[in-house]
Amino acid sequence: MSQFQKKTQITRIERFSSDIVRLTLLAPDIASIAKPGQFVMVRTGNGKEPLLRRPFSISQTSNGKHFQILFKVVGRGTSLLSHCREGEFLSILGPLGHGFTVDCQRLNCLVGGGMGIAPLLFLGKTLSRVCPENTPLVVLGARNREELEPLVQDFHELGLNVHPATDDGSLGHHGLVTDVLKKLDLGDDCEMFVCGPHPMMTAVHFFCRDRGFSCQVSMETSMACGMGACLGCIVPVKNGAYAHACSDGPVFDSKELLWQVS
Amino acid sequence: MSQFQKKTQITRIERFSSDIVRLTLLAPDIASIAKPGQFVMVRTGNGKEPLLRRPFSISQTSNGKHFQILFKVVGRGTSLLSHCREGEFLSILGPLGHGFTVDCQRLNCLVGGGMGIAPLLFLGKTLSRVCPENTPLVVLGARNREELEPLVQDFHELGLNVHPATDDGSLGHHGLVTDVLKKLDLGDDCEMFVCGPHPMMTAVHFFCRDRGFSCQVSMETSMACGMGACLGCIVPVKNGAYAHACSDGPVFDSKELLWQVS
Amino acid sequence: MASELNSVDLRVSIASLNLKNPVMTASGTFGYAREFEPYVNLHRLGAVVVKGISLEPRFGNPPPRIVETSCGMLNAIGLENVGVERFISEKMPALQQANVPVFVNILGDTLDEYREIASRLAGIEGVAGIEVNISCPNVKKGGVAFGTVPEMAAAVTAVVKENSTVPVMVKLSPNVTDITVIAKAVEDAGADAVSLINTLIGMAINHRSRKPALANVIGGLSGPAIKPVALRMVYQVARAVSIPVVGIGGIETAEDVLEFMLAGATAVQIGTANFVNPRASEEAVEGLARHVATESLGSIRELIGGLILP
Amino acid sequence: MASELNSVDLRVSIASLNLKNPVMTASGTFGYAREFEPYVNLHRLGAVVVKGISLEPRFGNPPPRIVETSCGMLNAIGLENVGVERFISEKMPALQQANVPVFVNILGDTLDEYREIASRLAGIEGVAGIEVNISCPNVKKGGVAFGTVPEMAAAVTAVVKENSTVPVMVKLSPNVTDITVIAKAVEDAGADAVSLINTLIGMAINHRSRKPALANVIGGLSGPAIKPVALRMVYQVARAVSIPVVGIGGIETAEDVLEFMLAGATAVQIGTANFVNPRASEEAVEGLARHVATESLGSIRELIGGLILP
Ligand SMILES: Cc1cc2nc3c(=O)[nH]c(=O)nc-3n(C[C@H](O)[C@H](O)[C@H](O)COP(=O)(O)OP(=O)(O)OC[C@H]3O[C@@H](n4cnc5c(N)ncnc54)[C@H](O)[C@@H]3O)c2cc1C
Ligand SMILES: Cc1cc2nc3c(=O)[nH]c(=O)nc-3n(C[C@H](O)[C@H](O)[C@H](O)COP(=O)(O)OP(=O)(O)OC[C@H]3O[C@@H](n4cnc5c(N)ncnc54)[C@H](O)[C@@H]3O)c2cc1C
Ligand SMILES: Cc1cc2nc3c(=O)[nH]c(=O)nc-3n(C[C@H](O)[C@H](O)[C@H](O)COP(=O)(O)O)c2cc1C
Ligand SMILES: Cc1cc2nc3c(=O)[nH]c(=O)nc-3n(C[C@H](O)[C@H](O)[C@H](O)COP(=O)(O)O)c2cc1C
Ligand code: FES
Ligand code: FES
């Protein structure tokens, strides 16, 4: 697998809301080979604090030259990133991990929550290209309209219709994405692509299990290295063992993982 | 003694060379009471690294509203400071320490080397105001013309004539400030105000001792607190004891300190 | 809001001593308190601990005495202090005015010195408690052994306790294999509380000059860098002893204080952070009050040892 | 310039083993080396130390296993590994290709386990040395005691040495009162070298959830935060023993390597820094070469223990 450590230039900064930012980075090596579901490890500053890189999904590539990350400010690392300026350089490792596996013969359904929507945009774009005859379903959830609208917009630009859901009902369905899923006609050979908060992924996993659908989930864990060296990023699998989100994932067949009924 | 901890706004940034920067800060509380030779402790970033504040001399005040610091980039703290933007806020403690004592009856001679010139500008300005009949002598040294010229300029604007010296001869005397001092007519009742590298201050101290001149030196040491709490900033005085640069100084009568003949 | 915050219950007790709140300042980082008056309302703190006092005045180590490290600093002050007599005559009067409980941090090279300092301080107005420093890494003579050998730690504790009229807190060194052994030894010897941690022994080198960064070669590491070690030791000691534990090490904010209290600390001391933000201690008190109010806790004491184990 | 740098003498030896240069990678931070091939020319490193290997495979601790701290990180991996048999069959072949000396880090719960692992590794092609981990803080059984009691440290050393055909390096724990005592014990028991430090035991708490940040509650602290402690211990141990000392702890750059070598280290290991900058080890080698060239040193060995004391 090809991976690179690169100083990449920030060519564009978009602020979607007070705490949601998208950066476009010039990185042909990475952008030209990245696959949907893969991620990068980003150094958020030049100093020793925060010490570790932060993982972000590749949320889109363009022309094989640029790629984007979309993130929410939740702590010191993302706060530093959000204060970057155009023209500055960021140190990036990537592309890392195994992405989504696509099959044009099935009904593909993308389910994203919050910042979990980031990798699904890349997936949606790829599906539109490789399976032009097979338009995927897209179900996206977030806290409110402010957070969701700009992301929905991106899918519209790909020509994809979106079923939105918000916690406060300010856009689309008032409630959970699983409520929306239940109402959709998903046939009997559906493949679900899910990325979002753990409770949401748990719910979608059980939903798919009950209906006999396949389900690919992208797992978020704490990561120190992103390349299989630290063994910190585990997710429990069957019979007491663990898989490594960075190298075995981040995308897993949900059936391989251990899920707790809540 | 009045001291303040303030978030102060950067109102102006001047880059004199690749590594010499002057910041103007809006801080009426501090600017209105500061005296030449006093310093401030500056937090150079928002994170935990670098952890400690950095000491900088107050290099000028204006209108009782603004004050300036002039510094050279030598490490991580000064590098972070040099990347600040106008409008940003810096956390400042000050004014700290005891400054210079002036006597209008004597021939005042200001001797500065490198960034040690910073506090002397404030002193020169004050002397011009409080002792208008008594123009001080000014001798300034630095590595080269690039470093020294902008600082000399500031003294010219005060109407003060400067005797420059540079290590490479690119401006003024080719050599040390003490060479220049030896050639000047200093009379027999001269008061020397010195700030610069330790070897320079040592040389000026012995020069003054031999001629019977008074000599006030501003001492630089590593400082953690700047306010007499950590006891880290000591300078050796007579009989094995120590003085604290931040609270007993930074300006000392050179006769009180222990100097090593080199 | 401000008045609401004043009414929240932040009180904690260390033996017979009742503190307004759990926030104290750490010895050697708050001078004799007076230095912080421009920044802090001293009477709003739980207590202050003053710079370590010895029997005779000490000049301390030659310079350089401090050096910054990653998220921390090393110091080798060498216990510079004015000695117990001048402390009482010159420093106590101002402290008595400050209206805040004062712990005097004491240190000696021999049991007799500890005894002597304790007796001189006994009955001095304004001394609310004694903190016995058995852990300073900078004194070459008895200092280190007192803090690392349980029998010696117990002996110092007993001597100071016998000669004191106020609560005695023993300050433990982290530079040991098992800190709970020392903690139990001083508890058995009569300590009213333990405070921990003192600095970790460390070193820095300037590769250009090829010299140690400190004239003393080694020094004590403090600041955020050591917080994980301090938190672990407080957790271990709080489970091993039944006297109050005072947590120290890398504390900067109210959140840090909460963590130490959850780990089992009854109170805390803020050290190096005072240099970075002289108002750190008072801001921590304010932050704790906000937390107790927001979380609708009956009192901050509910948090002590409240860590939820997996 | 590049060719000039290739000709500078960076060689060091650890017992019978001659290394190209003093830069190794630390166990548990470099996987089985293969993970770093996209970033590092492995053959340019002095040596690599692989993740700790036990007799049987281990799943390790439940998540969360890592948490960041100020200028450091805590880990409680719990020694997840494939076991010695699968290590030999699955991991060694790739390592043999890599053209770099490999140290295998081994750990056990009993003397017998150490003996068994050492014998299985004896004679395996590509194993240049054994690093005996007696210091991992995460194993609840014998792990900690082996590293903190001199007699036990000596016993493990002797057992591994007897069953090994390659140099044996013993990795010391910093969580002890006097690390020189353990270092001397393993030297007397036949260790060819000592490496230090392993992680400091620490803890982190999430004050919102009131839970420990690690499922294992405590973990090992690494990174720049611990460098001053590591440097001090390397300095002390280098003066106490006459076998080579390998310095570990917070090393990120060639400058850090120089500091450890001045303190007495013959070689070093880069750990946590590999996560931040996967090229850290190779860049350190390059930096050392530049330093030796710029300072016109005959060889890097001139620097070992070259600290100038005041
Ligand atoms: C494979 C992968 C892909 C990711 N992709 C994206 C993405 O595209 N966009 C995006 O915004 N984020 C993404 N994340 C999460 C992102 O890495 C974290 O938000 C980021 O590391 C936080 O860094 P910080 O320094 O700002 O926060 P910290 O100071 O480290 O943490 C602040 C708070 O956020 C919480 N937090 C930290 N990491 C996570 C996490 N992984 N999930 C949930 N909460 C966390 C912490 O517990 C803490 O409460 C991804 C994570 C992984 C593992
Ligand atoms: C009272 C006082 C007033 C000062 N006024 C000024 C001023 O007006 N302008 C100015 O440029 N500097 C001044 N200094 C020095 C200034 O504080 C340091 O340059 C600064 O702290 C360096 O911070 P840093 O993080 O960039 O460097 P660091 O990373 O801390 O150090 C980088 C290098 O610089 C060296 N260094 C650090 N501090 C000093 C020092 N005090 N003197 C000499 N070398 C040092 C270090 O040994 C190291 O080699 C003053 C110092 C004191 C004590
Ligand atoms: C400059 C300095 C001086 C100190 N002097 C003393 C002292 O005299 N007595 C003592 O018991 N501890 C002393 N300490 C240790 C602190 O009280 C505290 O235990 C340690 O710094 C850890 O806390 P921190 O990380 O919050 O600083 C000193 C620490 C520093 C940084
Ligand atoms: C994630 C992680 C896993 C580790 N695993 C091991 C191990 O298996 N065996 C071992 O002896 N040390 C292990 N260590 C300790 C390191 O080898 C090293 O001693 C320590 O991290 C200090 O060096 P550093 O500050 O450069 O990281 C591990 C460290 C980390 C961070
Ligand atoms: S993040 Fe290090 S192994 Fe996955
Ligand atoms: S800098 Fe702390 S006492 Fe002077």
Side-chain angles (χ1 to χ4, degrees), chain C residues 69-71 148 175-177 201-203 205 207 210-212 215 224 228 231-232 235 255 258-259 303 307-308 310, chain D residues 69-71 148 175-177 201-203 205 207 210-212 215 224 228 231-232 235 255 258-259 263 303 307-308 310:
Chain C
T69 64
S70 296
C71 293
T148 56
N175 303 293
V176 294
T177 307
I201 309 174
M203 180 173 174
I205 293 176
H207 75 88
R210 300 194 187 175
K211 288 186 190 160
L231 204 52
R232 183 263 297 185
Y235 171 74
E255 286 71 35
L258 293 172
E259 293 172 20
L303 295 175
L307 188 70
I308 302 169
Chain D
T69 64
S70 296
C71 294
T148 57
N175 302 291
V176 293
T177 306
I201 309 174
M203 181 176 174
I205 292 175
H207 77 88
R210 298 195 188 175
K211 288 186 190 159
L231 204 51
R232 182 263 297 184
Y235 171 74
E255 285 71 34
L258 293 173
E259 292 171 22
L303 294 173
L307 188 71
I308 302 168

Side-chain angles (χ1 to χ4, degrees), chain C residues 268-284:
Chain C
V268 300
Q269 295 179 13
I270 293 182
T272 303
N274 292 309
F275 303 154
V276 182
N277 172 14
R279 286 189 37 74
S281 52
E282 193 173 346
E283 287 176 4

